[in-house]
Amino acid sequence: MKPSLLIRGQWGLGDNIFARPIVRACVAKYDVWLETPWPELFEDLPIRFVAANRDLRTQMRNVARQSPARWSTPPNGIREIRLGYGHAELARGSIVAALERQVAAIGVPLSAPSWDLPDMGAPLVLADRPIALVRPVTVRSEWRNEARNPRPEYVAAIARELTATHHVVVVADLQDGREWLEGVLPPHHQAFLKGELVVRELLALVGAADIVVGGVGWIVPAAIALGRRAFVIHGGHGGHNARQIITDPRMNLSRIGFATPRELCKCTDKLHQCDKSIPDLAAQWAAFCSRVGLNSLTPAPSAA
């Protein structure tokens, strides 16, 4: 019989996707209980889910959607670890490396990790052209990080070009005083702006997309896990969000592109006024389209 382990997971959607191979490795050695607001991301693994409560709007909505039968209570005295990372961990390396060190401490090696997701079903969006999913630039009161955001006009410029070849879908979860747009809404054909898509529907849409565009966030691990093309536009806050921190050398990044400012700010201040200028955005976009075989009609304007 395997020993029991309670994993207190992170609450970000992207962080939970990053953690899948970590949790999978623990399952090989332990009988696992997992505290997460996103049980849908792990339901193909033989684990039990533990409910928790935090003042996080989107996550608690997803917890409330679950059947009470989804949740279990771990036994008293169970061994426990907490997955997570902060400035000290990221100063040593990547997000994945930080999580890997935490499970190595309990005797769990992370050999040949793979990033994937369970089957999320068919997408709700049907179109006669390839789908481009665009994440607009937003700010959340729960975890303000304007420094990380790209310049909104860059996301809008790429979205505008894609409207000529793709069915552009913009997805956000806006609410007055809780999450709001920075800049203007990118050009689109269809929009879900009030969190209408539950997590299965959201990730099914990513899985059906020909291209995903936006800033650093959950779209990065989601596109990697689902093998989709993604053009990720950096802003600042590079001390926590540089490419080498938010990815791992063992990930398949062949379909991922990063538009990088001329000098990515290495700060770790979420409200720092980083220089986010990408004067060669058009050239970076064109090079990405050529590399991944994306049908792009014309280079996007630099909007510098």
Side-chain angles (χ1 to χ4, degrees), residues 10-245:
Q10 299 161 278
W11 278 56
L13 178 59
D15 285 330
N16 275 260
I17 300 173
F18 278 130
R20 261 185 62 88
I22 308 289
V23 173
R24 186 189 294 113
C26 290
V27 166
K29 184 172 181 177
Y30 290 94
D31 186 14
V32 171
W33 276 258
L34 175 65
E35 180 187 286
T36 177
W38 307 107
E40 295 90 342
L41 306 188
F42 302 92
E43 60 188 8
D44 59 329
L45 301 178
I47 59 181
R48 280 160 282 196
F49 299 108
V50 177
N53 187 13
R54 295 190 191 179
D55 185 22
L56 294 172
R57 174 179 60 107
T58 302
Q59 286 84 344
M60 290 311 300
R61 278 212 315 262
N62 201 59
V63 169
R65 290 187 186 106
Q66 312 301 317
S67 163
R70 171 78 91 173
W71 308 112
S72 299
T73 302
N76 292 330
I78 188 173
R79 187 171 192 174
E80 179 178 330
I81 65 167
R82 184 177 296 276
L83 293 181
Y85 56 86
H87 175 68
E89 289 79 18
L90 297 186
R92 297 178 58 187
S94 71
I95 291 171
V96 172
L99 303 181
E100 188 172 2
R101 285 192 296 271
Q102 288 158 15
V103 296
I106 60 168
V108 176
L110 190 63
S111 57
S114 63
W115 283 267
D116 59 4
L117 282 168
D119 182 6
M120 294 294 166
L124 294 182
V125 174
L126 299 176
D128 57 3
R129 294 196 287 181
I131 293 170
L133 186 151
V134 174
R135 280 283 291 154
V137 180
T138 68
V139 177
R140 280 185 293 148
S141 61
E142 296 168 344
W143 190 77
R144 294 194 63 161
N145 193 349
E146 284 95 324
R148 181 177 77 167
N149 284 345
R151 288 172 55 164
E153 61 265 33
Y154 293 159
V155 177
I158 303 299
R160 186 176 302 110
E161 179 185 340
L162 286 168
T163 58
T165 55
H166 288 69
H167 181 79
V168 176
V169 183
V170 174
V171 176
D173 189 2
L174 306 178
Q175 182 181 333
D176 289 346
R178 301 295 295 271
E179 184 165 355
W180 57 93
L181 282 174
E182 184 177 334
V184 299
L185 193 65
H188 58 276
H189 299 103
Q190 191 171 4
F192 300 93
L193 300 178
K194 300 293 185 182
E196 296 94 335
L197 301 181
V198 301
V199 67
R200 287 181 184 280
E201 295 164 347
L202 180 64
L203 293 172
L205 183 58
V206 175
D210 184 51
I211 174 72
V212 180
V213 175
V216 171
W218 63 264
I219 66 170
V220 178
I224 292 168
L226 293 167
R228 311 320 298 162
R229 299 184 184 99
F231 190 66
V232 182
I233 305 173
H234 272 295
H237 204 235
H240 290 169
N241 291 284
R243 171 177 173 166
Q244 68 272 18
I245 293 174

